[in-house]
Structures are given as C-alpha cells and as structure tokens.
C-alpha cells in the first residue's frame, strides 16, 4: 500500500507537474524549431504534437491535476480556490479529449451556384470510388479510408453498389512526380484507332532512312499519309530531313519539271530529349503545321463518358480540302480561275487586253467566256510548249472563238511585239525540243538583256520558266517592240500572238498559283492521355508531398492494378478502371454534416481605387438537412456563422480574386461538441479559481497562522 | 419563375426565383403559348407610377453546347443599338459574377421612341464548369438551368433612377431554384 501511496503522491506532486511542464516546454521548442526549419506545420504535428509521447504528456497533466486535487481530500474551505482551478483545468483537458473524439474539422469547397454537405477532412487519405449510374448522374459514390496494412482487403462500407469490389494497396510512396504521356508512350507512337508504331531514333550525322507507316486519314481517293515517329536531339533537323524526303516527289504521270510538284502528306511525331513531343504535319500541298506537347497536363482535353471511358489529347491538322491527285489539283485550279473570270464578267470589271479580246470573241459566237478561256489555257499548258503554234489540239468552239478575235483593237506597236515575241519563243521552243533549256538558249542566242533577267530570277529550282523567266522576257520584247524591225506585211495574227499577249499579262496556268488559298479544313486525331509516376524523395514540407499508391482492384472475375496519385484539391482526373465500370481517385476523406451550404455569391472587396483586399465576403444559404429550414448568412473574414448545435462556418479562401469570374470558396467547418459544457466553463472556473487564489491567499503564512 | 418549354411541348420547368417588391406587377406568358422563340420573355414585371411604367423582362437562352452560346457582350451591343441616339457618357458596363453565372451589368440612357429612356441590364452566362456538369443530365429542367439569361429594365430615366435600388436588389436576388450539381 505504501508503494501505491508513494506513487500516487508522486504523480500528484508539484515535482511531477514541474517535470511535465519542462517536457511540454521542450516539446514546444522542438515543434517550433521543426516547423521553422521545414516550413511545414504538418511535419511538426506528426513529429511532435501527435507523437505518442506528447499525447502521454497530456494524459500526465490530466493525472497530475486529478491526483493533486484528490490529495486534498477531505476538502476544507481553504481548498475551494485550488479545487475550482484544478477542476477547471480538468474540464478543459476533457473538452480537448472530447473534441478529438467527437468533434469535426473540415473544409467545404464550393463554387458559386453549387451546394455541399460533405466536408473534406484534411489531412486524411482515402479512395473515392464511383460507379456509373445507368440513368445518368449523380453516380453512386463511396469513400474507402486508406489502410496500408499489407494484404488488407479494402471495401466500401455500407455501399451495396460496391459490395463485390475489393481493393488492396500493393505499394505506397510518400512522394512522386507525375508526367503526362500523349502521342509517344515509351517506344511507341499511339494514335487512337490506329495500331501503335515504333519510334525510331534519328541521328542527324547519318543519312536519314525513312521508316513510315502508311495510313489513310481522309476518305478515299485522297493520298495516304506517311506516319513517322522519331526520337531526336534536334527536332527541327529531323523534320527538315523528313520534309526533304517527302517533298521532292513530282506527281505521278507528269513528264515535265514545269508541272506541279506535290508532297507526300505526312504526320511526324518527334520526341526530344526533354520528352516533349513535337508534332509536324503537312498535307499534299506542303502546308506545314506544328505543335508541341509537353509533359504537363494539357489545358484542354477530351473527356469520354464523363471519364469512365478515359481522356484524350487531340490535335487539329489543317489540310487542303482538295483531293490530292494531279487531275484534281488541275481541275481545282481551273475551277477557281473560271469563278474569277465569271465574277469579273458579271460585275463588268475591266479586263486586260487579251482577256477582253477573248470575251468579245466569245460574245460574238455566243460562247461561255470563262469556259472557253480556261479551255484554251488548259490546252496551251498541256502542249508543254511556251507558245501554241497551231489550233489542231484546241476544241472546236475555242478555235471558233480565236477566229473571231478582233485584232483591230490591238495597237500596231503591240502587234509588233506579238510578232517578235512569238518569233523568239518559237525559237526557244524548238531548242527546248532538242533538250536545251530556256536559259542556255538565251545565252546561246546572245540575248542582250540577259543580265536584267538574271537579277530577277529566283534561284528556287521549283520555279518554272513560265512562272518567272518567260513573262520577264516577254516584257523585255514588248518594251523593245517600238525599236524592233516592223513585222512583215504578210504576217497574220495567229494563236501564238494571243499567247504572247497573255504572257505579257502574266496569264498562263503555270503562272497561276496552285490552289493553296482554299480555306484549310482540319482533321482531328486523338491519343489517350496516360500518366507516368516516378516515386521521388519526399519533401521536408509534408504539405507539398503528393503520395502515390499502387492499388489492386477486383470485381468478380475482373482485376486491375493501377497507380493513383494523391489529389488533395480533388480537381484532377479520376482514373477509370475495370473496363470503365468505375472511377477512382486518391483524395482526402470526406464526411457528411447535417447542414447543406449553398454559395450564392462570393466577393473580394478592395480598398477604394486599389486592388488591395479590404474584406472577403460570401453569401450563403445554410439549410438544416434534418428540418429542411434554410437560413441566409453572409460570411466574412471576421464574421463566423454558427448553428444552434455548434457547427461553425469560417470563410477561409476565395479564388479567383478578379471581378467577373465565378468564384470558388473554401469554408472551414468546425464542431466542438463539448465547448459549452466542458471547455468554456472549465476556462471560467480556472479564471475564478485563480482569482480566488490571489484574493483569499489560502496558503499564505498569515492564513496558516 | 418558369424556364422555356422545349420544342413539341408546353411544359415549362420551374427554374428561377427572385425577391420582388410587393408593388411590382407581374405578367407571365400565357401557358398555352410556346416560348421556344427566345425573343419572347419568360416573365415581365412592371413598376407603374403616375402613368409611367418600367418594364423588367427576363429572357433565357438554352443551349446544347458551349459553342452555341452568345457572349454577354453581344447582348449588350444589341441593347445599345436599341437607342436612337444613345448618350455615350451615360454608358456604364461592369463585370459581375453570382450564382454560378458571370457576365455584365449595363446601364445607359438615351432616346427610345423619342422618349428619354434608361436601361439597366444584366447579361449572364453560366460558368463553363457548371455548364459541363449540367450537360450530363438529359432532363429539360437541366437544359433550362444551364441557359444564359438576361434581365433588362427599361423605362423613363427619372422613374428608373427612383426605383434603381429595388431593381438592383431584384437582380441580385435572382438565382436558380435548384443548386447546380458539383462534379466532385
């Protein structure tokens, strides 16, 4: 009995109290030091304030106060202040204990217009599982607290919808880094709806050997696209190599370099060393489109079936709506030309001389001016000569039209120019038939103004003579026509003269640009978004860590293993699992409260003429779910709303701060169920007891005497 | 207040609520009349005094996709064109957001039908996040909830000025009856 008594005396003694106070002070120092060193309140909480030793310390205080009070038995009048003080302290400690067991502390996150009756418990971890409702949202949801016990099967409690769904945590990582994978996943390039293709390394020091898959992205009869995926240090260099490889192909069946060139439409994905994916695409017209995809979550993405069927990244590839065959390109160009001529005819726009000659000739013969003109240009172009010298290949109505041209409308000077132009170009045509190009021929003929031509000629090998050189040469001839010898008297206007006049005005099918100006359409391609997680060393600041779990989930015969990253703000994508039957999210736990809070409006009030906030306010409607009674309230930084049963609502945060945007607010919800009959009365008793101790001085020498 | 009926039905789901002073008079569209045409108001309120009258109208514009919606600024521009002429110095436009909608408040004075008139208008558009959440629901009531809305008070300038506070209070209290479901 003596030992028990001595132990009781010790635990109720001032010495034990001093030890406890000393330890509490040391703990507080350690907690403060840790918090300032790590900048993490949670770190201090986990390592000190929620440490079993600290909890034991609190129980020690309770025991010490309790025993020291009991030791005064039998109580006398002079003990009253002491007893009041100590009972008050015990009530405060009991209130803290009671709150930790039955109290609530959490956060409501609300967007203006929406309501919520579930508070997020922070810090806590759980897995939210969602099952798609056949009749549409809201879907069945359940929360499963995280339990890291190896082999422990986790299941949603009291949720019939999930009774056959089991989970098991296979691994837990305190912190991880997330990267987003889009078009290139590992060694494969993935486009939805197409088989994956392998990614090949590109070395800019070696010749490029193209490895392309052929895909039909547009309806037949469009050209198939090359699909190429590369890994390259310099994406631009790799792109140039591919473009050069795919650009130089003349269209099938075109004999001359004077004709249209085309590009093999190509879709090229290049992953650079930083894992960014560069998308280059060019259609058969050679129009290039580029886009870069980083490893960050894209701002915009496609959500399939509310997430149950996953998420996709997409790219819009512009392409010419033309069908890219030789004939169609030609046809399109001629159609555009006809439209232009028809429009000019309809609006009575002034036409250049050769076109006006043709228009009048068509009028005389009741022929369609645009059709006849374009037919003529087409036949001329198909002759592969600089000039047409005879009418035999022309359609009869075109010939009829040419015969009706009134050359009296053309000045003598221009007629002279026509004569000499046709003479010189005919000579060039003859030499071209022998394989001598225009440039060489002009040199051989000692054309005196060659230097003037040279300065203007593009070095671009893709430019045909009829696009640049010949119109300039024709311009020079016509310029010289007044000083050139007069044409022979017996010379008669021919079709070649008309060609000369047209060339003078730059009119030839080759000189008319390819129909690139047609508004581009876009082709959408997609790839599934997937996430790659890399466990990394945890940060000292616990709040900034994003834990990762490796989870096995099973439902009857289906089983799947997934990685889930902690989503503290609950605004990231939910992970679809088990063939899209369920959605999972690793997030804080939530708990229902008996009040539903609806946010009507939140606002930041600034000081006049300043962007400095003066106050934050939120208008809410708090509805008691038990009675259905709504009550309107305005929360602000210093205005807390409290319900009759002790739920307190504090406005914690409003985002964004700008006016005119729908606001999201965080409201902290707190319930301290014992504060009115334990904590607050306890505090009052401590104050009263302490005052009495000082006032009555029951233990002073005077009173003892 | 009811929303619009869908094509092929006259059923108008109850959609909005607001606090109105007791001295305002209310005129609902006849129940046998289709309100598919968005030019027809859902409801009209009148403040009448000494033979003069302020007309307050509510329109909504249900849309099936985000791309279909008309920007609040376009509505304001349309209202500006209803003046002949509009006194430029009286134009006041400010941004606001409430109840899940964001948009513009517009105030301007000028002549309409040769009468000195002031317009107070609110052109509001539901946030894209709310719109997407509501798009998952098939019922017409949800289509009405995600509709943009406009509130417009038109009347003689003096009378508008006299009742401006109550009109603004009415607009501030205007909201959807049902909460907008959240995605979390």
């Amino acid at each position: 009995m003596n030992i028990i008594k001595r132990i009781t005396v010790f635990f109720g003694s001032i010495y034990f109290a001093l030890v406890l106070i000393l330890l509490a002070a040391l703990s507080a120092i350690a907690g403060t030091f840790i918090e300032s060193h790590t900048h993490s309140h949670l770190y201090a909480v986990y390592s000190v304030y929620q440490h079993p030793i600290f909890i034991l310390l609190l129980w020690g205080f309770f025991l010490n106060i309790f025993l020291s009070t009991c030791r005064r038995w039998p109580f006398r009048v002079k003990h009253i202040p002491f007893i009041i003080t100590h009972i008050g302290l015990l009530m405060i400690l009991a209130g803290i204990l009671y709150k930790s067991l039955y109290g609530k502390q959490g956060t409501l996150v609300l967007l203006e217009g929406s309501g919520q009756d579930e508070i997020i418990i922070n810090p806590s971890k759980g897995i939210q599982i969602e099952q798609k409702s056949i009749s549409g949202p809201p879907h069945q949801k359940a929360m499963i607290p995280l339990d890291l016990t190896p082999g422990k099967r986790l299941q949603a409690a009291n949720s019939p919808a999930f009774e056959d769904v089991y989970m098991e945590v296979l691994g837990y990582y305190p912190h991880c880094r997330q990267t987003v994978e889009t078009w290139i996943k590992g060694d494969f390039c993935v486009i939805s709806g197409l088989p994956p293709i392998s990614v090949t390394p590109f070395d800019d020091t070696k010749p490029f050997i193209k490895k392309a898959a052929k895909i039909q992205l547009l309806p037949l009869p469009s050209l198939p696209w090359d699909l190429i995926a590369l890994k390259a240090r310099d994406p631009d260099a790799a792109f140039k190599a591919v473009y050069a490889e795919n650009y130089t192909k003349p269209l099938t069946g075109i004999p001359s370099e004077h004709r249209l060139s085309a590009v093999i439409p190509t879709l090229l994905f290049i992953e650079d060393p930083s894992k960014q994916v560069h998308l280059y695409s060019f259609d058969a017209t050679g129009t290039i489109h580029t886009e870069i995809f980083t490893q960050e979550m894209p701002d915009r993405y496609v959500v399939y079936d509310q997430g149950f069927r996953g998420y996709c990244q997409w790219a819009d590839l512009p392409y010419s709506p033309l069908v890219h065959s030789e004939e169609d390109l030609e046809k399109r160009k001629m159609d555009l030309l006809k439209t232009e001529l028809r429009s000019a005819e309809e609006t009575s726009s002034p036409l250049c001389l050769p076109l006006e000659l043709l228009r009048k000739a068509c009028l005389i013969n009741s022929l369609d001016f645009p059709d006849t003109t374009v037919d003529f240009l087409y036949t001329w172009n198909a002759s592969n000569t600089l000039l047409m010298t005879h009418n035999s290949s022309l359609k009869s109505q075109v010939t009829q039209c040419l015969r009706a041209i009134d050359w009296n409308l053309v000045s003598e000077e221009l007629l002279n120019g026509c004569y000499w132009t046709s003479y010189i170009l005919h000579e060039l045509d003859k030499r071209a038939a022998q394989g001598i190009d225009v440039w060489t021929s002009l040199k051989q003929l000692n054309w005196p103004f060659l230097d003037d031509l040279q300065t203007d000629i593009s070095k671009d090998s893709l430019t045909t003579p009829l696009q640049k050189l010949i119109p300039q040469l024709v311009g020079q001839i016509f310029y010289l026509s007044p000083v050139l010898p007069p044409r022979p008297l017996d010379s008669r206007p021919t079709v070649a003269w008309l060609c000369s006049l047209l060339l003078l005005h730059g009119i030839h099918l080759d000189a008319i640009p390819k129909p690139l100006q047609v508004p581009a359409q876009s082709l959408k391609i997609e790839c599934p978004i997937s996430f790659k997680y890399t466990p990394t060393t945890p940060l000292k600041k616990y709040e900034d860590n994003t834990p990762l779990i490796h989870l096995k989930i099973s439902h009857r015969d289906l089983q799947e293993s997934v990685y889930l990253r902690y989503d503290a703000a609950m605004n990231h994508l939910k992970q679809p699992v088990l063939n899209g039957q369920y959605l999972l999210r690793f997030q804080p736990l939530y708990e229902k409260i008996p009040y539903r809070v609806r946010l009507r409006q939140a606002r930041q009030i600034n000081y006049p003429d300043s962007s400095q906030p003066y106050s934050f306010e939120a208008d809410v409607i708090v509805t008691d779910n038990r009675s259905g009674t709504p009550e309107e309230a305005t929360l602000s930084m210093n205005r807390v709303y409290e319900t009759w049963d002790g739920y307190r609502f504090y406005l914690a945060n409003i985002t964004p701060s700008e006016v005119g945007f729908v606001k999201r607010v965080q409201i902290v919800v707190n319930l301290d169920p014992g504060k009115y009959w334990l904590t607050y009365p306890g505090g009052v008793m401590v104050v009263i007891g302490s005052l009495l101790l000082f006032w009555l001085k029951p233990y002073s020498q005077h009173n003892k005497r | 207040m009811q929303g619009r009926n869908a094509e092929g039905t006259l059923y108008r789901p109850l959609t909005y609520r607001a606090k109105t002073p007791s001295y305002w008079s209310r005129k609902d569209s006849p129940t046998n009349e289709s309100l598919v045409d968005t030019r027809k108001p859902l409801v009209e309120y009148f403040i009448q005094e000494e033979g003069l009258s302020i007309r307050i109208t509510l329109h909504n514009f249900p849309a099936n996709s985000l791309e279909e919606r008309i920007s609040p600024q376009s509505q304001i521009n349309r209202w500006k064109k209803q003046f002949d002429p509009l006194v430029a110095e009286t134009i006041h436009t400010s941004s606001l957001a409430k109840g899940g909608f964001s948009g513009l408040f517009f105030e301007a004075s000028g002549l309409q039908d040769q009468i000195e008139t002031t317009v107070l208008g609110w052109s509001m558009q539901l946030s894209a996040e709310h719109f997407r959440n509501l798009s998952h629901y098939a019922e017409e009531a949800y289509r009405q909830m995600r509709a943009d809305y406009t509130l417009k008070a038109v009347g003689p300038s003096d009378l508008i000025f006299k009742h401006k506070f109550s009109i603004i209070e009415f607009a501030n209290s205007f909201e959807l009856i049902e909460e907008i479901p959240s995605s979390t």
Side-chain angles (χ1 to χ4, degrees):
Chain A
M1 279 305 283
N2 265 350
I3 293 172
I4 293 170
K5 191 177 177 184
R6 283 168 68 180
I7 289 171
T8 311
V9 167
F10 173 74
F11 281 121
S13 69
I14 186 76
Y15 303 109
F16 184 54
L18 286 172
V19 170
L20 289 173
I21 290 166
L22 184 68
L23 288 174
L26 287 174
S27 300
I29 291 168
T32 308
F33 177 76
I34 289 168
E35 190 163 340
S36 70
H37 182 65
T38 61
H39 306 288
S40 169
H41 174 65
L42 270 187
Y43 200 113
V45 167
Y46 289 145
S47 56
V48 178
Y49 304 117
Q50 285 186 359
H51 196 277
I53 293 176
F54 194 80
I55 305 291
L56 203 65
L57 210 58
L58 292 179
W59 279 107
F61 274 114
F62 190 91
L63 188 68
N64 177 255
I65 295 164
F66 179 71
L67 290 178
S68 67
T69 310
C70 293
R71 278 182 60 204
R72 276 12 184 213
W73 185 261
F75 299 141
R76 290 156 61 186
V77 175
K78 72 170 188 176
H79 291 145
I80 290 173
F82 179 89
I83 290 164
I84 290 173
T85 309
H86 281 66
I87 288 175
L89 288 170
L90 285 175
M91 285 170 73
I92 292 170
L93 284 171
I96 293 167
L97 186 66
Y98 192 68
K99 185 189 173 187
S100 69
L101 290 175
Y102 301 105
K104 288 187 200 315
Q105 171 91 24
T107 311
L108 281 172
V109 179
L110 296 166
L111 197 61
E112 279 179 343
S114 69
Q116 192 63 268
D117 58 2
E118 286 172 342
I119 55 171
I120 300 160
I121 312 296
N122 260 324
S124 66
K125 292 183 182 70
I127 300 149
Q128 180 185 269
I129 181 165
E130 204 170 316
Q131 185 186 35
K132 194 181 172 192
S133 161
I134 297 162
S135 58
H139 304 303
Q140 294 275 358
K141 279 197 287 191
M143 178 56 84
I144 303 166
L146 186 69
D147 189 335
L148 298 175
T149 313
K152 176 88 181 264
R153 291 181 92 192
L154 309 178
Q155 195 183 15
N158 307 319
S159 296
F162 305 104
E163 62 181 7
D164 292 335
V165 181
Y166 295 97
M167 296 180 202
E168 185 184 336
V169 179
L170 302 175
Y172 177 85
Y173 308 91
H175 185 47
C176 74
R177 194 168 61 88
Q178 173 188 276
T179 48
V180 175
E181 289 186 323
T182 53
W183 306 99
I184 293 183
K185 300 179 198 298
D187 292 329
F188 290 94
C189 175
V190 178
I191 299 176
S192 297
L194 297 173
I197 66 156
S198 60
V199 181
T200 51
F202 172 83
D203 186 347
D204 48 14
T205 60
K206 293 177 184 169
F208 173 60
I209 301 164
K210 189 174 86 174
K211 287 182 186 169
K214 287 281 182 194
I215 54 171
Q216 193 71 42
L217 286 177
L218 296 168
L220 290 169
S222 61
L223 295 176
W225 287 52
D226 268 3
L227 173 59
I228 303 171
L230 302 171
K231 281 187 185 181
R233 274 182 308 173
D234 182 354
D236 281 344
F239 163 70
K240 281 173 188 165
V242 174
Y243 195 76
E245 178 74 16
N246 279 9
Y247 188 82
T248 53
K249 304 287 183 279
L251 285 171
T252 320
I254 299 179
S256 158
E257 84 271 16
H258 292 195
R259 308 305 298 269
L260 292 165
S261 291
V263 183
I264 298 173
T266 304
L267 196 51
L268 171 65
F269 294 93
I270 304 174
E271 187 183 82
D272 69 15
S274 66
K275 301 284 181 190
Q276 287 192 130
V277 177
H278 302 246
L279 164 64
Y280 298 88
S281 75
F282 42 90
D283 66 3
T285 65
T287 311
I288 300 164
H289 169 75
T290 63
E291 225 171 309
I292 295 176
F293 298 89
T294 67
Q295 289 194 299
E296 301 296 319
M297 189 64 201
D299 294 334
R300 298 193 306 158
Y301 45 86
V302 183
V303 179
Y304 280 108
D305 199 12
Q306 297 163 61
F308 286 92
R309 294 284 162 195
Y311 311 91
C312 278
Q313 172 67 280
W314 86 86
D316 281 320
L317 312 177
Y319 73 94
S320 165
L322 302 174
V323 180
H324 300 301
S325 68
E326 166 203 345
E327 294 80 9
D328 288 311
L329 276 173
E330 290 281 356
K331 186 174 177 305
R332 176 69 184 161
K333 187 155 86 169
M334 289 189 293
D335 284 346
L336 286 174
L337 192 55
K338 280 180 191 173
T339 309
E340 210 169 317
L341 290 173
R342 205 172 300 286
S343 159
E345 190 184 27
E346 282 166 6
T347 56
S348 305
S349 303
L351 294 168
C352 64
L353 179 63
L355 292 179
E356 186 58 26
L357 291 175
L358 281 168
R359 193 184 68 80
K360 284 186 172 160
C362 288
L363 202 65
I364 293 165
N365 289 288
S366 304
L367 293 170
D368 184 76
F369 162 61
D371 281 355
T372 311
T373 307
V374 172
D375 274 351
F376 171 72
L377 291 172
Y378 177 75
T379 315
W380 175 20
N381 193 44
S383 71
N384 277 330
T385 53
L386 299 177
L387 289 175
M388 282 200 74
T389 47
H390 48 83
N391 299 355
S392 58
S393 51
L394 291 170
K395 286 182 184 172
S396 58
Q397 69 265 30
V398 180
T399 313
Q400 195 183 341
C401 167
L402 295 181
R403 280 197 200 117
I405 289 176
D406 183 1
W407 289 98
N408 293 322
L409 298 172
V410 184
S411 68
E412 192 56 37
E413 207 171 275
L414 281 176
L415 288 174
N416 207 36
C418 288
Y419 170 80
W420 285 108
T421 302
S422 55
Y423 180 86
I424 293 168
L425 294 191
H426 182 61
E427 185 60 31
L428 293 176
D429 266 335
K430 279 199 288 188
R431 287 165 174 266
Q434 295 163 18
I436 306 168
D437 66 57
V438 175
W439 190 251
T440 313
S441 297
L442 287 171
K443 273 185 184 169
Q444 288 174 354
L445 291 167
N446 295 321
W447 181 249
F449 307 103
L450 204 60
D451 288 345
D452 293 340
L453 289 175
Q454 204 163 13
T455 51
D456 287 322
I457 290 170
S458 165
K459 298 276 185 273
D460 185 354
S461 60
L462 295 166
T463 307
T464 66
L466 276 162
Q467 284 173 339
K468 278 224 162 175
L469 179 58
I470 296 300
Q472 286 183 29
L473 176 66
V474 172
Q476 287 181 339
I477 299 168
F478 273 89
Y479 182 72
L480 293 169
S481 60
V483 293
L484 288 172
R487 62 192 168 95
L489 289 173
D490 59 344
S491 60
R492 290 282 173 271
T494 63
V495 64
W497 288 28
L498 178 66
C499 293
S500 302
L501 267 184
L502 286 165
L503 283 171
L504 177 67
H505 288 87
I507 299 170
H508 184 277
L509 277 189
D510 255 14
I512 296 166
K514 280 189 281 180
L516 298 182
Q517 293 87 344
V518 180
Q521 294 183 358
S522 76
L523 169 73
K524 184 178 271 186
I525 54 167
E526 291 181 352
C527 72
I529 292 175
S530 51
F531 299 97
K532 191 175 176 184
Y533 302 107
T534 315
T536 51
T537 313
L539 306 168
K540 280 183 181 171
K541 189 172 181 181
Y542 274 16
E543 290 87 340
D544 290 347
N545 280 331
T546 44
L548 175 73
I549 51 168
H550 184 199
L551 192 75
K552 185 171 81 178
I553 177 166
S554 58
H555 174 239
R556 295 184 187 141
D557 297 336
L558 287 175
Q559 189 170 302
E560 189 175 338
S561 146
V562 286
Y563 284 90
L564 298 176
R565 182 174 179 254
Y566 189 62
D567 181 2
M570 302 191 302
N571 56 5
H572 292 168
L573 301 181
K574 296 169 187 169
Q575 173 78 42
V577 289
L578 301 177
N579 298 332
Q581 282 189 68
Y582 302 101
L583 285 177
L584 296 181
R585 186 161 64 190
F586 181 28
Q587 62 170 66
L589 295 169
Y590 51 72
E591 192 178 329
K592 220 171 173 64
I593 56 168
Y595 292 94
R596 186 161 190 90
V597 182
R598 174 175 173 175
L599 177 64
R600 301 175 77 182
Q601 191 187 24
R603 55 199 166 267
Q604 175 180 316
I605 301 165
N606 294 336
Y607 284 101
D609 302 324
S610 155
S611 58
Q612 290 298 313
Y614 164 74
S615 178
F616 297 93
E617 288 184 354
D619 297 332
V620 293
I621 302 172
V622 183
T623 307
D624 189 332
N625 285 343
R626 295 157 293 192
S627 63
T629 317
E631 195 170 333
E632 291 181 14
T634 298
L635 306 179
S636 67
M637 301 312 269
N638 297 312
R639 200 188 305 167
V640 177
Y641 176 78
E642 183 167 355
T643 62
W644 64 270
D645 54 350
Y647 280 89
R648 290 169 69 84
F649 297 87
Y650 307 79
L651 181 61
N653 189 24
I654 295 180
T655 51
S657 57
E658 292 86 5
V659 180
F661 289 90
V662 173
K663 306 283 188 301
R664 186 183 295 275
V665 305
Q666 279 186 24
I667 295 172
V668 172
V669 182
N670 174 274
L671 172 69
D672 184 353
K675 67 182 175 189
Y676 288 122
W677 52 278
L678 280 174
T679 318
Y680 292 175
V684 172
M685 286 174 75
V686 169
V687 172
I688 292 169
S690 304
L691 288 174
L692 288 175
L693 277 170
F694 282 103
W695 185 37
L696 299 175
K697 297 183 180 164
Y699 301 103
S700 68
Q701 291 301 316
H702 173 75
N703 282 349
K704 277 184 182 176
R705 279 199 295 268
Chain B
M1 283 165 259
Q2 291 168 312
R4 278 180 204 285
N5 57 294
E7 198 86 54
T9 172
L10 288 176
Y11 168 68
R12 301 176 195 162
L14 270 174
T15 309
Y16 306 106
R17 66 184 179 193
K19 291 175 184 168
T20 50
S22 56
Y23 60 89
W24 289 16
S25 58
R26 171 175 167 159
K27 184 184 164 196
D28 286 288
S29 300
T31 49
N32 58 356
E33 186 184 313
S34 171
L35 290 183
V36 170
D37 183 351
T38 54
R39 287 172 298 182
K40 292 181 183 173
L42 299 177
V43 64
E44 292 167 281
Y45 288 96
F46 295 93
I47 308 171
Q48 281 155 335
E49 201 173 289
E50 295 168 1
L52 299 173
S53 166
I54 296 172
R55 179 173 176 248
I56 300 159
T57 48
L58 164 67
H59 288 78
N60 81 350
F61 305 88
N64 292 323
S65 69
L66 285 167
E67 293 74 25
E68 275 180 31
R69 306 195 297 178
I70 305 162
S71 72
Q73 186 60 54
S74 306
Q75 300 281 12
I76 303 284
N77 292 343
R78 195 168 57 78
W79 292 342
K80 282 182 186 171
K81 286 178 189 164
Q82 290 168 356
F83 286 97
D84 187 23
L86 171 65
V87 181
E89 299 80 55
T90 63
I91 301 172
H92 167 71
T93 310
S94 57
S95 305
L96 76 158
K98 64 186 185 68
F101 291 80
S102 60
L104 296 168
F105 166 67
F106 169 75
E107 181 179 359
S109 299
L111 288 182
Q112 282 190 3
D113 300 327
Q114 305 301 317
I115 298 167
E116 180 70 31
T117 306
T118 294
V119 168
L120 300 179
W122 288 260
S123 176
M124 306 296 287
Q125 191 162 69
L126 191 66
S127 83
E129 185 174 343
H130 281 323
F131 190 96
R132 278 191 289 270
N133 288 338
L134 286 169
S135 300
H136 299 144
Y137 297 82
E139 293 90 342
E140 180 59 25
Y142 291 102
R143 203 173 87 92
Q144 294 299 315
M145 283 174 73
R146 63 177 191 249
D148 302 343
Y149 72 83
T150 60
L151 284 169
K152 190 168 73 156
V154 185
S157 296
D158 290 345
L159 199 59
I160 288 272
F161 184 73
K162 188 176 175 186
H163 293 278
K164 188 174 175 181
F165 181 76
S166 64
I167 296 167
I168 290 174
E169 282 290 289
F170 162 73
N172 285 344
S173 69
F174 184 88
E175 65 183 357
L176 292 170
I177 296 171
E178 297 295 330
E179 278 175 13
I180 303 168
S182 96
S183 59
T184 55

